[in-house]
Amino acid sequence: MSVIEAVTMAAGLVYLVLLLWQGRSGWSWTLSLVLAGAAWLVAADSVLWLALGLVVGSLGLLHRIWPLPVLAEISSQPLRAWTRHLLLLCWGLVTVQYGVHIWQLGQGIPPWLVRPDVVDGFLPIAGGLGLRAWLGQGIADPHHPAATITVLVLSLSALLLGRAFCAWFCPLGLVGEWLHRLRTRLLPGEWVPPRWLDWLLRAQKFLVLGFLLFIILLAVPAAALPGYLASPYHQAADMKMGAFFFNLTLISGLCLCWVLLLTVAFRQGFCRYLCPYGAWLSLLGLLTPLRIRRDPDRCLRSAGHDCDRCSRACPSRIQVHQLIAVHSLECSSCMSCVAACPKSADALYLGSRARRLEPQWLLGLLCLLLLVLPLLSYGLLDIWVSQTPLADRYELLQRLPWLNH
């Protein structure tokens, strides 16, 4: 595991510990802290201990210079913004690390930076096939195990929290917002396609998802699955993915242009119209009891006010002010509508019918599912780091243009 990956996972654990400590109430928080500490002691190696020291030391130094606020006092949107920017920084460093690793490997130089396995999170087919082999045949993919874990934890997060990953963790969404903001500065105005065109554009991501599910569930027979996982094509899946975008052909160039066009033209264009992960999470999210809800008795509209601040704040253009519970596939639980609701009303919340879920605990659950579970899979199950030998990876890189199914 690379230092950047370890720092990210350690930061998630530290956030959980701080959240449990500041929200302590009886024996339950003590038990939770003990379990978190025990999990760390069992899973941690020297790299993770170094990462924990870096996180705790940095927070301690920052707190001396600029006292950190209590988590409960941070509102949802600043908390979400800080989380996304920190994760994007980590992803940027991972991208540079992976690029340097592959470049040195291609030059025949022994890489002085290890390969960050978290890049396998961008391999949904490898992850889906690995998860299918793991659950169905008890076979762990030795070449892209992080892809298997990523698909698993993302699916679990969607069943519990819907598309919250998209709004709180995904780095591509934040980059898309920056590109769209740049377009609005050059060409002012918020462009909204007609309803029929919006429906057709949104269907794209479900078509892509359907294609991916066909490959994962049907195209590779169960008897052929172990052989596919051992094939050179599968072993080089991450390098093939990178070559698709960085060694552009006519087809890949047109695909990239279409992605950029939708991203800059429309708010959340990539997330709304193209992302297959978003489509998968939205379908699983239909099963979660946690969703944005509006209390009509508290809502200012019940007092005769024509208030629609929640709908105007929604980046997915959902008419929240007309709904009791939001069941839209486009809702990402970003809580922008909740933050926009007048404090005098406090009519909106994220949660079940019986209980509200505060944004600090939403982020804590995401950290548990998306950072701590991969940490445990690494430490307890030894499923995270690719076992492909460096010499084999070098040979695969040389043969990359000729590797096919």
Side-chain angles (χ1 to χ4, degrees):
M1 177 178 290
S2 68
V3 174
I4 298 301
E5 293 174 281
V7 165
T8 306
M9 293 183 180
L13 184 71
V14 168
Y15 176 83
L16 271 174
V17 170
L18 289 175
L19 186 64
L20 291 168
W21 178 267
Q22 294 180 5
R24 58 189 182 277
S25 56
W27 63 268
S28 59
W29 75 271
T30 304
L31 177 61
S32 300
L33 286 175
V34 169
L35 290 176
W40 175 264
L41 290 175
V42 171
D45 58 9
S46 58
V47 176
L48 286 168
W49 279 111
L50 172 63
L52 182 63
L54 289 173
V55 172
V56 174
S58 300
L59 286 176
L61 181 61
L62 181 61
H63 186 66
R64 290 179 64 89
I65 300 172
W66 178 41
L68 300 176
V70 178
L71 290 177
E73 297 176 354
I74 306 176
S75 59
S76 63
Q77 298 313 294
L79 183 65
R80 187 167 73 94
W82 294 347
T83 302
R84 299 172 82 199
H85 283 82
L86 287 173
L87 285 171
L88 181 60
L89 174 62
C90 293
W91 268 103
L93 294 174
V94 161
T95 302
V96 172
Q97 179 178 341
Y98 181 73
V100 171
H101 176 89
I102 293 297
W103 179 82
Q104 290 186 313
L105 193 63
Q107 298 297 313
I109 305 171
W112 50 272
L113 286 175
V114 300
R115 175 185 179 272
D117 292 278
V118 72
V119 298
D120 288 343
F122 287 101
L123 304 175
I125 293 178
L129 289 171
L131 183 60
R132 179 183 161 200
W134 193 23
L135 298 179
Q137 304 179 25
I139 302 172
D141 178 9
H143 303 293
H144 301 289
T148 302
I149 299 300
T150 299
V151 170
L152 176 61
V153 297
L154 280 177
S155 300
L156 290 176
S157 75
L159 289 172
L160 180 61
L161 304 170
R163 282 185 61 186
F165 165 81
C166 301
W168 290 78
F169 266 43
C170 181
L172 295 180
L174 181 57
V175 173
E177 289 181 15
W178 287 352
L179 292 174
H180 174 260
R181 197 174 304 157
L182 177 62
R183 193 278 298 165
T184 58
R185 290 184 179 180
L186 300 175
L187 297 172
E190 195 62 56
W191 301 346
V192 179
R195 181 173 298 181
W196 65 269
L197 180 57
D198 180 69
W199 185 88
L200 287 176
L201 291 175
R202 278 192 290 150
Q204 289 180 105
K205 65 176 181 279
F206 292 102
L207 289 175
V208 176
L209 174 63
F211 173 72
L212 297 180
L213 289 177
F214 169 77
I215 295 176
I216 293 170
L217 299 176
L218 300 175
V220 182
L225 195 51
Y228 175 81
L229 294 180
S231 68
Y233 183 89
H234 175 73
Q235 294 181 44
D238 57 309
M239 295 183 285
K240 292 288 288 187
M241 176 67 75
F244 180 83
F245 289 102
F246 293 104
N247 297 329
L248 292 179
T249 63
L250 177 61
I251 294 177
S252 61
L254 290 175
C255 291
L256 183 59
C257 288
W258 182 242
V259 170
L260 291 175
L261 176 63
L262 291 181
T263 300
V264 301
F266 306 112
R267 188 178 184 185
Q268 291 191 342
F270 175 77
C271 307
R272 185 177 181 86
Y273 298 131
L274 291 171
C275 181
Y277 264 135
W280 176 242
L281 299 184
S282 67
L283 291 177
L284 292 180
L286 293 174
L287 302 176
T288 178
L290 302 176
R291 55 187 74 255
I292 298 294
R293 300 180 185 274
R294 182 177 66 91
D295 186 343
D297 295 331
R298 289 176 171 266
C299 184
L300 294 179
R301 298 183 69 84
S302 62
H305 298 281
D306 187 19
C307 179
D308 63 348
R309 290 175 60 177
C310 53
S311 298
R312 285 186 280 117
C314 178
S316 300
R317 304 195 294 273
I318 301 171
Q319 298 301 300
V320 182
H321 71 285
Q322 298 177 359
L323 304 172
I324 301 299
V326 177
H327 293 270
S328 172
L329 294 175
E330 303 305 325
C331 180
S332 61
S333 301
C334 68
M335 302 185 74
S336 297
C337 57
V338 178
C341 184
K343 298 302 179 184
S344 59
D346 193 25
L348 286 174
Y349 66 94
L350 174 68
S352 63
R353 293 181 180 179
R355 188 166 185 175
R356 298 187 175 207
L357 182 66
E358 296 300 324
Q360 292 79 10
W361 288 101
L362 171 63
L363 179 56
L365 288 172
L366 284 170
C367 287
L368 175 64
L369 292 167
L370 301 177
L371 297 179
V372 176
L373 285 186
L375 167 67
L376 295 178
S377 72
Y378 167 74
L380 299 180
L381 304 178
D382 197 23
I383 300 177
W384 183 261
V385 177
S386 174
Q387 302 302 311
T388 308
L390 196 61
D392 291 357
R393 191 171 293 278
Y394 171 77
E395 294 295 330
L396 291 169
L397 187 58
Q398 304 307 310
R399 297 166 51 197
L400 199 62
W402 299 277
L403 288 179
N404 295 306
H405 289 288

